[in-house]
Amino acid sequence: MATPTSTPTSTAPETAAPETIAAAPPPPRYTEIYSSGLYRRRRVTNRAALTLSVTTMGIGIAFLLWILWTLAVRGIVALRPIVFLQSTPGPGSDGGLINAIVGSLLMIGAGTLVGAPVGILAGTYLAEFGKSGWFAEIARFVNDILLSAPSIIIGLCVYAVMVMRMGHFSGWAGAAALAIIAIPIVVRTTEDMLRLVPVSLREAAAALGAPRWKVVVLVAYRAARSGILTGVLLAIARISGETAPLLFTALNNQFWSTNMNAPIANLPSVIFNFANSAYPDWQKLAWTASLLITLSVLVLNIVARIVFRQQKAG
Amino acid sequence: MSAPASAVPVAPARQGGPGGPDSPDGVPQPFRAPAAAGGRAQRLADRLFEGSTLFFAIVVFSLLAAILLSLCWGSRPALHRFGFWSFVTSREWNPVTERFGALVQIYGTLVTSAIAMLFGVPISFGIALFVTELCPRWLKQPLATAIELLAAIPSIIYGMWGLFVLAPLLADHAQPWVTDHLGGWPLVGSLFQGPPLGIGLGTAGLILAIMVIPFISAVMRDVFETVPSILKESTYAVGATTWEVMSRIVLPYTRVGVAGGIMLGLGRALGETMAVTFVIGNAHELSASLFMPGNTISANLANEFAEAVGALYTSSLITLGLILFIITFIVLACSKLLLLRLKRMEGRPS
């Protein structure tokens, strides 16, 4: 990469050149040109722009550290064993988050179990069968829109389709919303990763007489395994922190419940309710819940990156 | 082989080798019979497999249609009662008298996103410039990952942080200063007047700016890297500074992709819910000042939907969702089309 940020030093050898030519009126010395108005202006502009660029990078990193620091300081205060042993308390009493943790895990698990296979198969179609056909083009376009669509809209849709029909909020509705959010992420990574598998590998398998499905399942999937796993991990990370679609699908539940057919407690909703409450105990628990969620999401993200690096290496 | 083949039923043991019993015409079974039957089975399996992948691709495709249809269906009562145009232009939002309008929320959504773009785009550009042109190679990956982790933090965490950390800070220090210094300016002065509450449209916009940085800068970084190095190197060779290479070569070359990245960030900002919900103040009032509480479509949904009673109230909220969906759909579609155009210009397969 060319980064001649140090223009002054690069001119040094050239200043010697005019002096070797004797006689004749000496051409303007390079240093004179260099310190004239135009050059100074360009140099100052450059310096200013690059300084600003470094500053923006600093701003970005500073916000990341600031948020993580806040979480660590405020979240650890209330992080005691009781958090993992008791359900969410009423105002003024002591309690933990176990019902919310279990509820979140149930919904994330169900959402992933539905979302990951659907996403992987749809991604397989785009990479292996559809390729550049018109349907694949449109499906790819739609998938990219879904990838960035506001999650609260997905919650609304699930509300209109499931909650209104069933007549009550439920864990299944929450899981459905999470699955819809997970699908486009898995589709996108699966397709990208399958496309990275060399065609010659597939051709070799086909030349040995393997039918198409065996080529895909036994060769392409196996070659892209870590990449596809990365997509699933990223999808889990994303749905772990999703709050908006759960607010009116799974709702919340103050008590221990593993009944997915009824409103169920979940960490994001607990954070939302407790943080907006007036009780200091609840706010403390909200910070602890935030710390738990953020830690797990960041760990998932980093694991996904490590797995992905293996994919690139292997 | 042909003679013994006809005699197989008579002397089956003659050709029976370790490969197992042979078929009537003498071809060892492992090579023949399973292949014939298996060929059909494999073809069937092939068709089944391709069919199922196609089916799920159609499922993904129809998800979008399902979202749109369910929102349209849910919004019928409200649209029937108020009409689309008067719903969009009315600033009234009163669950008691059942009069609903979306102007305040649409205004809040647009204003907060505009603030997010105002701060987020230059910062993202600076970060992308730093990562592609200035950063030492060994630092590149860690810094890029750190910025991407900003996107991984759940939005509700931004909301809590904004409410408990940023808002008090703004109320105590930034807002009084801004009101003193900018509040008296003509035209823009009214934007900066009002009580220093800490929460409001401006704070929401600032948090959104932080949240869109990773998305915009990631796209910018990717498109900056697509600039052929021969272009950059020849510009450096004629004596251009880094900034000149950036502003006169890289930026013009990638402007379509940069626009696509900005649109992507805008789409995110428009639909962001939880972070905004915490700091927007949930006030159904149209105020010129950025320091006053307001509302956005998504925040309004998050605050009121679960408690909404009555078909008309619920339906009005779903209509808000429909409007948000249409706006973000248009913005995201533009983003996608711009990025596709850049890829086509490069001649790479998309």
Side-chain angles (χ1 to χ4, degrees):
Chain A
M1 207 175 71
T3 50
T5 45
S6 51
T7 17
T9 53
S10 65
T11 60
E14 292 177 43
T15 47
E19 285 171 350
T20 54
I21 305 163
R29 289 174 60 95
Y30 218 88
T31 44
E32 284 168 25
I33 301 177
Y34 197 70
S35 55
S36 71
L38 175 65
Y39 283 82
R40 192 178 308 129
R41 201 165 59 241
R42 286 178 58 199
R43 209 166 53 225
V44 168
T45 316
N46 188 44
R47 198 63 55 79
L50 300 188
T51 313
L52 278 177
S53 166
V54 176
T55 315
T56 56
M57 189 75 209
I59 291 175
I61 299 291
F63 275 119
L64 177 71
L65 295 179
W66 190 3
I67 292 170
L68 293 181
W69 174 250
T70 310
L71 274 177
V73 168
R74 301 203 181 192
I76 285 174
V77 177
L79 190 62
R80 296 162 300 153
I82 197 177
V83 167
F84 302 102
L85 295 174
Q86 289 191 9
S87 292
T88 42
S93 55
D94 211 11
L97 295 164
I98 187 65
N99 55 340
I101 295 173
V102 170
S104 270
L105 287 179
L106 280 176
M107 279 191 289
I108 293 167
T112 313
L113 282 182
V114 175
V118 173
I120 290 175
L121 284 173
T124 309
Y125 178 80
L126 295 183
E128 301 284 336
F129 300 108
K131 290 202 175 119
S132 48
W134 64 270
F135 176 69
E137 287 287 333
I138 295 177
R140 215 168 275 138
F141 187 81
V142 166
N143 190 59
D144 277 5
I145 301 269
L146 283 176
L147 199 60
S148 308
S151 56
I152 194 156
I153 299 289
I154 290 163
L156 267 186
C157 166
V158 172
Y159 177 87
V161 173
M162 280 181 79
V163 178
M164 262 167 133
R165 228 17 81 71
M166 291 160 73
H168 57 86
F169 299 102
S170 74
W172 289 121
L178 294 183
I180 296 177
I181 294 169
I183 287 171
I185 305 173
V186 180
V187 170
R188 183 64 189 270
T189 26
T190 304
E191 193 203 345
D192 287 352
M193 293 305 139
L194 283 177
R195 274 164 180 266
L196 289 180
V197 176
V199 183
S200 53
L201 218 56
R202 296 194 184 92
E203 286 170 348
L208 288 175
R212 194 73 183 275
W213 73 271
K214 273 192 174 166
V215 173
V216 174
V217 174
L218 299 181
V219 177
Y221 276 173
R222 201 168 283 186
R225 193 173 41 200
S226 323
I228 295 173
L229 185 62
T230 307
V232 175
L233 286 174
L234 286 178
I236 297 176
R238 166 87 194 272
I239 61 176
S240 310
E242 276 300 342
T243 315
L246 296 180
L247 289 176
F248 33 81
T249 52
L251 206 65
N252 199 352
N253 187 342
Q254 211 190 314
F255 306 103
W256 170 267
S257 162
T258 51
N259 180 7
M260 288 284 277
N261 213 11
I264 194 166
N266 56 88
L267 281 174
S269 293
V270 166
I271 297 176
F272 183 57
N273 291 335
F274 280 17
N276 280 319
S277 73
Y279 309 109
D281 290 351
W282 279 15
Q283 290 186 359
K284 264 188 210 159
L285 267 180
W287 279 109
T288 309
S290 305
L291 180 69
L292 291 178
I293 282 197
T294 312
L295 273 185
S296 40
V297 168
L298 290 185
V299 165
L300 274 170
N301 259 280
I302 290 166
V303 169
R305 267 159 228 275
I306 293 169
V307 171
F308 180 63
R309 211 155 289 163
Q310 278 175 354
Q311 165 83 28
K312 275 205 289 197
Chain B
M1 274 301 250
S2 60
S6 59
V8 167
V10 193
R14 201 159 59 87
Q15 286 179 327
D22 288 342
S23 57
D25 53 0
V27 179
Q29 235 171 12
F31 299 106
R32 177 71 178 273
R40 216 172 304 127
Q42 297 296 358
R43 267 199 299 282
L44 189 68
D46 256 2
R47 210 160 301 154
L48 269 177
F49 185 68
E50 181 172 353
S52 60
T53 62
L54 174 64
F55 172 75
F56 285 113
I58 293 171
V59 166
V60 171
F61 175 74
S62 48
L63 274 180
L64 192 78
I67 293 173
L68 196 61
L69 280 179
S70 64
L71 291 181
C72 286
W73 181 260
S75 64
R76 276 180 326 136
L79 288 179
H80 191 71
R81 172 77 177 274
F82 304 116
F84 182 75
W85 195 244
S86 62
F87 183 79
V88 170
T89 51
S90 162
R91 60 162 81 174
E92 201 175 354
W93 187 269
N94 193 334
V96 181
T97 59
E98 298 215 308
R99 300 289 309 166
F100 298 105
L103 188 63
V104 175
Q105 293 91 323
I106 294 176
Y107 170 79
T109 305
L110 296 180
V111 168
T112 49
S113 299
I115 299 170
M117 291 297 110
L118 194 67
F119 290 99
V121 170
I123 293 181
S124 310
F125 177 72
I127 289 175
L129 168 63
F130 181 82
V131 172
T132 51
E133 295 292 315
L134 303 178
C135 183
R137 186 162 288 184
W138 59 271
L139 206 57
K140 216 171 177 174
Q141 200 52 49
L143 284 183
T145 308
I147 294 295
E148 275 164 28
L149 285 184
L150 268 180
I153 296 177
S155 68
I156 192 163
I157 308 297
Y158 280 98
M160 275 195 83
W161 177 79
L163 180 64
F164 290 104
V165 178
L166 190 64
L169 213 65
L170 288 177
D172 292 345
H173 303 289
Q175 288 187 352
W177 186 89
V178 172
T179 308
D180 287 349
H181 289 79
L182 303 180
W185 286 18
L187 290 176
V188 294
S190 58
L191 285 177
F192 305 111
Q193 280 164 355
L197 298 171
I199 55 173
L201 294 170
T203 313
L206 284 181
I207 290 182
L208 284 179
I210 306 170
M211 298 184 72
V212 297
I213 286 172
F215 295 102
I216 302 181
S217 69
V219 175
M220 282 187 176
R221 210 180 62 215
D222 286 348
V223 298
F224 287 172
E225 305 243 314
T226 64
V227 177
S229 48
I230 193 153
L231 266 183
K232 288 198 275 186
E233 279 162 15
S234 42
T235 320
Y236 278 126
V238 296
T241 61
T242 307
W243 171 246
E244 285 163 348
V245 170
M246 208 59 207
S247 59
R248 305 205 185 161
I249 304 296
V250 175
L251 211 48
Y253 189 86
T254 56
R255 61 173 182 273
V256 180
V258 168
I262 293 173
M263 293 297 245
L264 179 73
L266 182 60
R268 290 274 174 172
L270 288 167
E272 182 45 59
T273 308
M274 296 321 292
V276 174
T277 308
F278 272 89
V279 294
I280 193 75
N282 197 29
H284 288 288
E285 269 158 48
L286 206 59
S287 46
S289 171
L290 298 180
F291 293 172
M292 294 296 282
N295 220 333
T296 69
I297 295 177
S298 51
N300 196 5
L301 286 172
N303 272 321
E304 296 180 15
F305 196 85
E307 280 125 40
V309 282
L312 196 61
Y313 193 4
T314 311
S315 168
S316 299
L317 285 164
I318 293 180
T319 313
L320 276 182
L322 179 66
I323 294 170
L324 176 65
F325 186 65
I326 293 170
I327 299 175
T328 48
F329 181 87
I330 294 170
V331 169
L332 291 171
C334 285
S335 151
K336 179 76 183 143
L337 290 174
L338 286 168
L339 288 172
L340 274 179
R341 220 175 90 190
L342 182 78
K343 273 189 180 153
R344 231 165 263 152
M345 256 164 43
E346 280 170 46
R348 288 196 321 194
S350 60

